[in-house]
PDB file of all heavy atoms in Angstrom:
ATOM      1  N   ILE A   1      -1.916  19.361 -65.946  1.00 98.00           N
ATOM      2  CA  ILE A   1      -3.233  19.791 -66.430  1.00 98.00           C
ATOM      3  C   ILE A   1      -3.081  20.930 -67.429  1.00 98.00           C
ATOM      4  O   ILE A   1      -3.695  20.924 -68.496  1.00 98.00           O
ATOM      5  CB  ILE A   1      -4.141  20.203 -65.257  1.00 98.00           C
ATOM      6  CG1 ILE A   1      -4.531  18.976 -64.444  1.00 98.00           C
ATOM      7  CG2 ILE A   1      -5.389  20.931 -65.758  1.00 98.00           C
ATOM      8  CD1 ILE A   1      -5.255  19.291 -63.151  1.00 98.00           C
ATOM      9  N   GLU A   2      -2.234  21.890 -67.105  1.00 97.00           N
ATOM     10  CA  GLU A   2      -2.011  23.023 -68.006  1.00 97.00           C
ATOM     11  C   GLU A   2      -1.442  22.553 -69.347  1.00 97.00           C
ATOM     12  O   GLU A   2      -1.858  23.019 -70.407  1.00 97.00           O
ATOM     13  CB  GLU A   2      -1.050  24.015 -67.349  1.00 97.00           C
ATOM     14  CG  GLU A   2      -0.844  25.279 -68.144  1.00 97.00           C
ATOM     15  CD  GLU A   2       0.076  26.253 -67.427  1.00 97.00           C
ATOM     16  OE1 GLU A   2       0.087  26.263 -66.184  1.00 97.00           O
ATOM     17  OE2 GLU A   2       0.778  26.998 -68.136  1.00 97.00           O
ATOM     18  N   ALA A   3      -0.520  21.606 -69.319  1.00 97.00           N
ATOM     19  CA  ALA A   3       0.069  21.072 -70.547  1.00 97.00           C
ATOM     20  C   ALA A   3      -0.989  20.377 -71.404  1.00 97.00           C
ATOM     21  O   ALA A   3      -1.016  20.544 -72.632  1.00 97.00           O
ATOM     22  CB  ALA A   3       1.197  20.096 -70.203  1.00 97.00           C
ATOM     23  N   ILE A   4      -1.868  19.607 -70.766  1.00 98.00           N
ATOM     24  CA  ILE A   4      -2.925  18.909 -71.508  1.00 98.00           C
ATOM     25  C   ILE A   4      -3.881  19.910 -72.136  1.00 98.00           C
ATOM     26  O   ILE A   4      -4.223  19.811 -73.316  1.00 98.00           O
ATOM     27  CB  ILE A   4      -3.684  17.925 -70.592  1.00 98.00           C
ATOM     28  CG1 ILE A   4      -2.768  16.792 -70.138  1.00 98.00           C
ATOM     29  CG2 ILE A   4      -4.912  17.360 -71.311  1.00 98.00           C
ATOM     30  CD1 ILE A   4      -3.336  15.944 -69.015  1.00 98.00           C
ATOM     31  N   VAL A   5      -4.321  20.890 -71.352  1.00 97.00           N
ATOM     32  CA  VAL A   5      -5.284  21.879 -71.853  1.00 97.00           C
ATOM     33  C   VAL A   5      -4.703  22.648 -73.041  1.00 97.00           C
ATOM     34  O   VAL A   5      -5.345  22.793 -74.081  1.00 97.00           O
ATOM     35  CB  VAL A   5      -5.723  22.840 -70.728  1.00 97.00           C
ATOM     36  CG1 VAL A   5      -6.501  24.016 -71.287  1.00 97.00           C
ATOM     37  CG2 VAL A   5      -6.558  22.098 -69.698  1.00 97.00           C
ATOM     38  N   LYS A   6      -3.472  23.118 -72.903  1.00 97.00           N
ATOM     39  CA  LYS A   6      -2.859  23.901 -73.985  1.00 97.00           C
ATOM     40  C   LYS A   6      -2.667  23.086 -75.257  1.00 97.00           C
ATOM     41  O   LYS A   6      -2.870  23.587 -76.352  1.00 97.00           O
ATOM     42  CB  LYS A   6      -1.503  24.460 -73.530  1.00 97.00           C
ATOM     43  CG  LYS A   6      -1.613  25.659 -72.638  1.00 97.00           C
ATOM     44  CD  LYS A   6      -0.242  26.213 -72.304  1.00 97.00           C
ATOM     45  CE  LYS A   6      -0.355  27.454 -71.436  1.00 97.00           C
ATOM     46  NZ  LYS A   6       0.961  27.961 -71.034  1.00 97.00           N
ATOM     47  N   SER A   7      -2.277  21.828 -75.112  1.00 97.00           N
ATOM     48  CA  SER A   7      -1.982  21.019 -76.291  1.00 97.00           C
ATOM     49  C   SER A   7      -3.214  20.371 -76.917  1.00 97.00           C
ATOM     50  O   SER A   7      -3.215  20.056 -78.103  1.00 97.00           O
ATOM     51  CB  SER A   7      -0.950  19.948 -75.952  1.00 97.00           C
ATOM     52  OG  SER A   7      -1.410  19.122 -74.917  1.00 97.00           O
ATOM     53  N   ALA A   8      -4.286  20.178 -76.149  1.00 97.00           N
ATOM     54  CA  ALA A   8      -5.473  19.488 -76.662  1.00 97.00           C
ATOM     55  C   ALA A   8      -6.551  20.441 -77.159  1.00 97.00           C
ATOM     56  O   ALA A   8      -7.461  20.027 -77.870  1.00 97.00           O
ATOM     57  CB  ALA A   8      -6.056  18.573 -75.591  1.00 97.00           C
ATOM     58  N   ARG A   9      -6.468  21.706 -76.794  1.00 96.00           N
ATOM     59  CA  ARG A   9      -7.534  22.658 -77.131  1.00 96.00           C
ATOM     60  C   ARG A   9      -7.521  23.015 -78.615  1.00 96.00           C
ATOM     61  O   ARG A   9      -6.505  23.370 -79.180  1.00 96.00           O
ATOM     62  CB  ARG A   9      -7.384  23.928 -76.311  1.00 96.00           C
ATOM     63  CG  ARG A   9      -8.435  24.982 -76.648  1.00 96.00           C
ATOM     64  CD  ARG A   9      -8.281  26.224 -75.825  1.00 96.00           C
ATOM     65  NE  ARG A   9      -8.773  25.949 -74.471  1.00 96.00           N
ATOM     66  CZ  ARG A   9      -8.290  26.508 -73.379  1.00 96.00           C
ATOM     67  NH1 ARG A   9      -7.291  27.361 -73.456  1.00 96.00           N
ATOM     68  NH2 ARG A   9      -8.811  26.215 -72.213  1.00 96.00           N
ATOM     69  N   THR A  10      -8.703  22.903 -79.240  1.00 93.00           N
ATOM     70  CA  THR A  10      -8.886  23.390 -80.609  1.00 93.00           C
ATOM     71  C   THR A  10      -9.835  24.581 -80.615  1.00 93.00           C
ATOM     72  O   THR A  10      -9.911  25.294 -81.596  1.00 93.00           O
ATOM     73  CB  THR A  10      -9.486  22.298 -81.534  1.00 93.00           C
ATOM     74  OG1 THR A  10     -10.815  22.000 -81.107  1.00 93.00           O
ATOM     75  CG2 THR A  10      -8.640  21.046 -81.543  1.00 93.00           C
ATOM     76  N   GLY A  11     -10.592  24.735 -79.529  1.00 91.00           N
ATOM     77  CA  GLY A  11     -11.568  25.809 -79.451  1.00 91.00           C
ATOM     78  C   GLY A  11     -12.930  25.415 -79.987  1.00 91.00           C
ATOM     79  O   GLY A  11     -13.865  26.208 -79.978  1.00 91.00           O
ATOM     80  N   LYS A  12     -13.055  24.181 -80.442  1.00 88.00           N
ATOM     81  CA  LYS A  12     -14.328  23.705 -80.990  1.00 88.00           C
ATOM     82  C   LYS A  12     -14.949  22.715 -80.012  1.00 88.00           C
ATOM     83  O   LYS A  12     -14.284  22.148 -79.156  1.00 88.00           O
ATOM     84  CB  LYS A  12     -14.094  23.040 -82.343  1.00 88.00           C
ATOM     85  CG  LYS A  12     -13.583  24.004 -83.401  1.00 88.00           C
ATOM     86  CD  LYS A  12     -13.463  23.306 -84.737  1.00 88.00           C
ATOM     87  CE  LYS A  12     -13.145  24.294 -85.838  1.00 88.00           C
ATOM     88  NZ  LYS A  12     -11.784  24.794 -85.802  1.00 88.00           N
ATOM     89  N   ILE A  13     -16.241  22.480 -80.188  1.00 84.00           N
ATOM     90  CA  ILE A  13     -16.955  21.533 -79.328  1.00 84.00           C
ATOM     91  C   ILE A  13     -16.322  20.149 -79.455  1.00 84.00           C
ATOM     92  O   ILE A  13     -15.863  19.760 -80.529  1.00 84.00           O
ATOM     93  CB  ILE A  13     -18.461  21.512 -79.681  1.00 84.00           C
ATOM     94  CG1 ILE A  13     -19.237  20.799 -78.597  1.00 84.00           C
ATOM     95  CG2 ILE A  13     -18.696  20.902 -81.049  1.00 84.00           C
ATOM     96  CD1 ILE A  13     -20.735  21.051 -78.663  1.00 84.00           C
ATOM     97  N   GLY A  14     -16.265  19.430 -78.352  1.00 85.00           N
ATOM     98  CA  GLY A  14     -15.720  18.078 -78.364  1.00 85.00           C
ATOM     99  C   GLY A  14     -14.245  17.995 -78.049  1.00 85.00           C
ATOM    100  O   GLY A  14     -13.625  16.960 -78.269  1.00 85.00           O
ATOM    101  N   ASP A  15     -13.651  19.072 -77.522  1.00 91.00           N
ATOM    102  CA  ASP A  15     -12.224  19.050 -77.187  1.00 91.00           C
ATOM    103  C   ASP A  15     -11.914  18.061 -76.079  1.00 91.00           C
ATOM    104  O   ASP A  15     -10.803  17.549 -75.994  1.00 91.00           O
ATOM    105  CB  ASP A  15     -11.740  20.439 -76.770  1.00 91.00           C
ATOM    106  CG  ASP A  15     -11.345  21.295 -77.955  1.00 91.00           C
ATOM    107  OD1 ASP A  15     -11.283  20.774 -79.082  1.00 91.00           O
ATOM    108  OD2 ASP A  15     -11.092  22.493 -77.747  1.00 91.00           O
ATOM    109  N   GLY A  16     -12.869  17.766 -75.208  1.00 93.00           N
ATOM    110  CA  GLY A  16     -12.657  16.745 -74.193  1.00 93.00           C
ATOM    111  C   GLY A  16     -12.792  17.246 -72.778  1.00 93.00           C
ATOM    112  O   GLY A  16     -13.239  18.371 -72.524  1.00 93.00           O
ATOM    113  N   LYS A  17     -12.372  16.392 -71.850  1.00 96.00           N
ATOM    114  CA  LYS A  17     -12.467  16.691 -70.422  1.00 96.00           C
ATOM    115  C   LYS A  17     -11.258  16.118 -69.713  1.00 96.00           C
ATOM    116  O   LYS A  17     -10.611  15.203 -70.195  1.00 96.00           O
ATOM    117  CB  LYS A  17     -13.721  16.046 -69.826  1.00 96.00           C
ATOM    118  CG  LYS A  17     -15.017  16.652 -70.277  1.00 96.00           C
ATOM    119  CD  LYS A  17     -15.928  16.879 -69.088  1.00 96.00           C
ATOM    120  CE  LYS A  17     -17.166  17.655 -69.433  1.00 96.00           C
ATOM    121  NZ  LYS A  17     -17.897  17.270 -70.591  1.00 96.00           N
ATOM    122  N   ILE A  18     -10.990  16.658 -68.520  1.00 98.00           N
ATOM    123  CA  ILE A  18      -9.927  16.149 -67.664  1.00 98.00           C
ATOM    124  C   ILE A  18     -10.538  15.831 -66.305  1.00 98.00           C
ATOM    125  O   ILE A  18     -11.275  16.642 -65.743  1.00 98.00           O
ATOM    126  CB  ILE A  18      -8.797  17.187 -67.487  1.00 98.00           C
ATOM    127  CG1 ILE A  18      -8.159  17.493 -68.846  1.00 98.00           C
ATOM    128  CG2 ILE A  18      -7.759  16.691 -66.491  1.00 98.00           C
ATOM    129  CD1 ILE A  18      -7.144  18.612 -68.797  1.00 98.00           C
ATOM    130  N   PHE A  19     -10.228  14.639 -65.792  1.00 98.00           N
ATOM    131  CA  PHE A  19     -10.697  14.215 -64.476  1.00 98.00           C
ATOM    132  C   PHE A  19      -9.474  13.957 -63.598  1.00 98.00           C
ATOM    133  O   PHE A  19      -8.527  13.305 -64.033  1.00 98.00           O
ATOM    134  CB  PHE A  19     -11.525  12.928 -64.568  1.00 98.00           C
ATOM    135  CG  PHE A  19     -12.678  13.032 -65.522  1.00 98.00           C
ATOM    136  CD1 PHE A  19     -12.568  12.560 -66.822  1.00 98.00           C
ATOM    137  CD2 PHE A  19     -13.869  13.607 -65.128  1.00 98.00           C
ATOM    138  CE1 PHE A  19     -13.628  12.656 -67.712  1.00 98.00           C
ATOM    139  CE2 PHE A  19     -14.939  13.704 -66.010  1.00 98.00           C
ATOM    140  CZ  PHE A  19     -14.818  13.229 -67.298  1.00 98.00           C
ATOM    141  N   VAL A  20      -9.499  14.445 -62.370  1.00 98.00           N
ATOM    142  CA  VAL A  20      -8.386  14.251 -61.448  1.00 98.00           C
ATOM    143  C   VAL A  20      -8.922  13.538 -60.205  1.00 98.00           C
ATOM    144  O   VAL A  20      -9.892  13.992 -59.600  1.00 98.00           O
ATOM    145  CB  VAL A  20      -7.744  15.600 -61.046  1.00 98.00           C
ATOM    146  CG1 VAL A  20      -6.574  15.376 -60.102  1.00 98.00           C
ATOM    147  CG2 VAL A  20      -7.310  16.373 -62.283  1.00 98.00           C
ATOM    148  N   THR A  21      -8.282  12.435 -59.854  1.00 98.00           N
ATOM    149  CA  THR A  21      -8.690  11.677 -58.673  1.00 98.00           C
ATOM    150  C   THR A  21      -7.472  11.368 -57.807  1.00 98.00           C
ATOM    151  O   THR A  21      -6.339  11.357 -58.287  1.00 98.00           O
ATOM    152  CB  THR A  21      -9.380  10.349 -59.056  1.00 98.00           C
ATOM    153  OG1 THR A  21      -8.502   9.592 -59.899  1.00 98.00           O
ATOM    154  CG2 THR A  21     -10.681  10.584 -59.786  1.00 98.00           C
ATOM    155  N   ALA A  22      -7.716  11.105 -56.543  1.00 97.00           N
ATOM    156  CA  ALA A  22      -6.636  10.770 -55.618  1.00 97.00           C
ATOM    157  C   ALA A  22      -6.209   9.320 -55.816  1.00 97.00           C
ATOM    158  O   ALA A  22      -7.031   8.453 -56.097  1.00 97.00           O
ATOM    159  CB  ALA A  22      -7.097  10.989 -54.183  1.00 97.00           C
ATOM    160  N   VAL A  23      -4.924   9.076 -55.654  1.00 96.00           N
ATOM    161  CA  VAL A  23      -4.378   7.721 -55.721  1.00 96.00           C
ATOM    162  C   VAL A  23      -3.815   7.398 -54.342  1.00 96.00           C
ATOM    163  O   VAL A  23      -2.954   8.115 -53.833  1.00 96.00           O
ATOM    164  CB  VAL A  23      -3.277   7.615 -56.801  1.00 96.00           C
ATOM    165  CG1 VAL A  23      -2.617   6.251 -56.762  1.00 96.00           C
ATOM    166  CG2 VAL A  23      -3.858   7.896 -58.174  1.00 96.00           C
ATOM    167  N   GLU A  24      -4.298   6.337 -53.750  1.00 95.00           N
ATOM    168  CA  GLU A  24      -3.891   5.995 -52.390  1.00 95.00           C
ATOM    169  C   GLU A  24      -2.583   5.224 -52.328  1.00 95.00           C
ATOM    170  O   GLU A  24      -1.787   5.422 -51.416  1.00 95.00           O
ATOM    171  CB  GLU A  24      -4.988   5.171 -51.713  1.00 95.00           C
ATOM    172  CG  GLU A  24      -6.241   5.970 -51.456  1.00 95.00           C
ATOM    173  CD  GLU A  24      -7.295   5.151 -50.741  1.00 95.00           C
ATOM    174  OE1 GLU A  24      -6.921   4.178 -50.039  1.00 95.00           O
ATOM    175  OE2 GLU A  24      -8.466   5.476 -50.873  1.00 95.00           O
ATOM    176  N   HIS A  25      -2.363   4.325 -53.286  1.00 95.00           N
ATOM    177  CA  HIS A  25      -1.200   3.454 -53.183  1.00 95.00           C
ATOM    178  C   HIS A  25      -0.756   3.036 -54.579  1.00 95.00           C
ATOM    179  O   HIS A  25      -1.587   2.710 -55.422  1.00 95.00           O
ATOM    180  CB  HIS A  25      -1.579   2.220 -52.350  1.00 95.00           C
ATOM    181  CG  HIS A  25      -0.419   1.418 -51.891  1.00 95.00           C
ATOM    182  ND1 HIS A  25       0.505   1.881 -50.989  1.00 95.00           N
ATOM    183  CD2 HIS A  25      -0.024   0.164 -52.214  1.00 95.00           C
ATOM    184  CE1 HIS A  25       1.409   0.940 -50.771  1.00 95.00           C
ATOM    185  NE2 HIS A  25       1.100  -0.114 -51.502  1.00 95.00           N
ATOM    186  N   VAL A  26       0.558   3.035 -54.815  1.00 93.00           N
ATOM    187  CA  VAL A  26       1.122   2.603 -56.092  1.00 93.00           C
ATOM    188  C   VAL A  26       2.234   1.615 -55.803  1.00 93.00           C
ATOM    189  O   VAL A  26       3.032   1.820 -54.888  1.00 93.00           O
ATOM    190  CB  VAL A  26       1.707   3.800 -56.882  1.00 93.00           C
ATOM    191  CG1 VAL A  26       2.339   3.330 -58.181  1.00 93.00           C
ATOM    192  CG2 VAL A  26       0.644   4.834 -57.157  1.00 93.00           C
ATOM    193  N   VAL A  27       2.302   0.537 -56.583  1.00 94.00           N
ATOM    194  CA  VAL A  27       3.382  -0.443 -56.450  1.00 94.00           C
ATOM    195  C   VAL A  27       3.958  -0.713 -57.832  1.00 94.00           C
ATOM    196  O   VAL A  27       3.217  -1.014 -58.773  1.00 94.00           O
ATOM    197  CB  VAL A  27       2.873  -1.775 -55.844  1.00 94.00           C
ATOM    198  CG1 VAL A  27       3.994  -2.807 -55.786  1.00 94.00           C
ATOM    199  CG2 VAL A  27       2.275  -1.553 -54.475  1.00 94.00           C
ATOM    200  N   ARG A  28       5.280  -0.577 -57.962  1.00 93.00           N
ATOM    201  CA  ARG A  28       5.947  -0.971 -59.203  1.00 93.00           C
ATOM    202  C   ARG A  28       6.203  -2.469 -59.103  1.00 93.00           C
ATOM    203  O   ARG A  28       6.922  -2.930 -58.203  1.00 93.00           O
ATOM    204  CB  ARG A  28       7.257  -0.208 -59.383  1.00 93.00           C
ATOM    205  CG  ARG A  28       7.962  -0.586 -60.684  1.00 93.00           C
ATOM    206  CD  ARG A  28       9.117   0.302 -60.936  1.00 93.00           C
ATOM    207  NE  ARG A  28       8.598   1.669 -60.917  1.00 93.00           N
ATOM    208  CZ  ARG A  28       9.226   2.708 -61.396  1.00 93.00           C
ATOM    209  NH1 ARG A  28      10.403   2.572 -61.926  1.00 93.00           N
ATOM    210  NH2 ARG A  28       8.689   3.913 -61.332  1.00 93.00           N
ATOM    211  N   ILE A  29       5.637  -3.235 -59.993  1.00 94.00           N
ATOM    212  CA  ILE A  29       5.685  -4.695 -59.916  1.00 94.00           C
ATOM    213  C   ILE A  29       7.117  -5.215 -60.007  1.00 94.00           C
ATOM    214  O   ILE A  29       7.514  -6.086 -59.227  1.00 94.00           O
ATOM    215  CB  ILE A  29       4.797  -5.318 -61.013  1.00 94.00           C
ATOM    216  CG1 ILE A  29       3.337  -4.954 -60.746  1.00 94.00           C
ATOM    217  CG2 ILE A  29       4.999  -6.824 -61.087  1.00 94.00           C
ATOM    218  CD1 ILE A  29       2.387  -5.339 -61.853  1.00 94.00           C
ATOM    219  N   ARG A  30       7.905  -4.692 -60.924  1.00 94.00           N
ATOM    220  CA  ARG A  30       9.262  -5.204 -61.152  1.00 94.00           C
ATOM    221  C   ARG A  30      10.149  -5.083 -59.926  1.00 94.00           C
ATOM    222  O   ARG A  30      10.867  -6.012 -59.555  1.00 94.00           O
ATOM    223  CB  ARG A  30       9.907  -4.472 -62.333  1.00 94.00           C
ATOM    224  CG  ARG A  30      11.332  -4.910 -62.629  1.00 94.00           C
ATOM    225  CD  ARG A  30      11.895  -4.209 -63.854  1.00 94.00           C
ATOM    226  NE  ARG A  30      11.860  -2.761 -63.757  1.00 94.00           N
ATOM    227  CZ  ARG A  30      12.814  -2.008 -63.203  1.00 94.00           C
ATOM    228  NH1 ARG A  30      13.878  -2.577 -62.687  1.00 94.00           N
ATOM    229  NH2 ARG A  30      12.691  -0.699 -63.173  1.00 94.00           N
ATOM    230  N   THR A  31      10.128  -3.918 -59.257  1.00 94.00           N
ATOM    231  CA  THR A  31      11.070  -3.655 -58.164  1.00 94.00           C
ATOM    232  C   THR A  31      10.440  -3.705 -56.775  1.00 94.00           C
ATOM    233  O   THR A  31      11.153  -3.769 -55.788  1.00 94.00           O
ATOM    234  CB  THR A  31      11.693  -2.260 -58.332  1.00 94.00           C
ATOM    235  OG1 THR A  31      10.658  -1.287 -58.261  1.00 94.00           O
ATOM    236  CG2 THR A  31      12.445  -2.152 -59.636  1.00 94.00           C
ATOM    237  N   GLY A  32       9.137  -3.625 -56.707  1.00 92.00           N
ATOM    238  CA  GLY A  32       8.462  -3.592 -55.419  1.00 92.00           C
ATOM    239  C   GLY A  32       8.427  -2.196 -54.804  1.00 92.00           C
ATOM    240  O   GLY A  32       7.937  -2.026 -53.698  1.00 92.00           O
ATOM    241  N   GLU A  33       8.932  -1.191 -55.528  1.00 92.00           N
ATOM    242  CA  GLU A  33       8.883   0.186 -55.023  1.00 92.00           C
ATOM    243  C   GLU A  33       7.429   0.593 -54.841  1.00 92.00           C
ATOM    244  O   GLU A  33       6.550   0.144 -55.578  1.00 92.00           O
ATOM    245  CB  GLU A  33       9.550   1.144 -56.016  1.00 92.00           C
ATOM    246  CG  GLU A  33      11.046   0.930 -56.175  1.00 92.00           C
ATOM    247  CD  GLU A  33      11.618   1.749 -57.316  1.00 92.00           C
ATOM    248  OE1 GLU A  33      11.117   1.614 -58.443  1.00 92.00           O
ATOM    249  OE2 GLU A  33      12.544   2.527 -57.056  1.00 92.00           O
ATOM    250  N   THR A  34       7.207   1.472 -53.856  1.00 93.00           N
ATOM    251  CA  THR A  34       5.839   1.896 -53.598  1.00 93.00           C
ATOM    252  C   THR A  34       5.716   3.418 -53.646  1.00 93.00           C
ATOM    253  O   THR A  34       6.689   4.151 -53.489  1.00 93.00           O
ATOM    254  CB  THR A  34       5.363   1.397 -52.228  1.00 93.00           C
ATOM    255  OG1 THR A  34       6.210   1.944 -51.213  1.00 93.00           O
ATOM    256  CG2 THR A  34       5.358  -0.116 -52.148  1.00 93.00           C
ATOM    257  N   ASN A  35       4.490   3.854 -53.852  1.00 90.00           N
ATOM    258  CA  ASN A  35       4.082   5.249 -53.828  1.00 90.00           C
ATOM    259  C   ASN A  35       4.961   6.178 -54.674  1.00 90.00           C
ATOM    260  O   ASN A  35       5.141   5.909 -55.850  1.00 90.00           O
ATOM    261  CB  ASN A  35       3.915   5.729 -52.396  1.00 90.00           C
ATOM    262  CG  ASN A  35       2.836   4.934 -51.689  1.00 90.00           C
ATOM    263  OD1 ASN A  35       1.851   4.531 -52.320  1.00 90.00           O
ATOM    264  ND2 ASN A  35       2.985   4.686 -50.415  1.00 90.00           N
ATOM    265  N   GLU A  36       5.529   7.241 -54.104  1.00 87.00           N
ATOM    266  CA  GLU A  36       6.279   8.237 -54.880  1.00 87.00           C
ATOM    267  C   GLU A  36       7.413   7.605 -55.691  1.00 87.00           C
ATOM    268  O   GLU A  36       7.657   7.973 -56.824  1.00 87.00           O
ATOM    269  CB  GLU A  36       6.847   9.329 -53.969  1.00 87.00           C
ATOM    270  CG  GLU A  36       5.826  10.067 -53.147  1.00 87.00           C
ATOM    271  CD  GLU A  36       5.201  11.230 -53.889  1.00 87.00           C
ATOM    272  OE1 GLU A  36       5.869  11.826 -54.738  1.00 87.00           O
ATOM    273  OE2 GLU A  36       4.037  11.537 -53.600  1.00 87.00           O
TER     274      GLU A  36
END
């Protein structure tokens, strides 16, 4: 988040927003690895 804010900020209106949500489950299709 800090990296995004520092690199995206111009100080003018319309710089954007950041949304953070929880992810319950991740699967890598190629290998079948899950989560972390």
Side-chain angles (χ1 to χ4, degrees):
I1 290 171
E2 185 178 329
I4 294 168
V5 169
K6 282 184 178 177
S7 58
R9 178 180 285 148
T10 66
K12 295 184 172 73
I13 193 164
D15 275 351
K17 291 226 172 47
I18 298 174
F19 305 97
V20 181
T21 56
V23 174
E24 292 182 25
H25 194 66
V26 178
V27 177
R28 181 172 304 197
I29 295 172
R30 179 177 56 87
T31 62
E33 294 171 305
T34 60
N35 299 326
E36 302 274 330

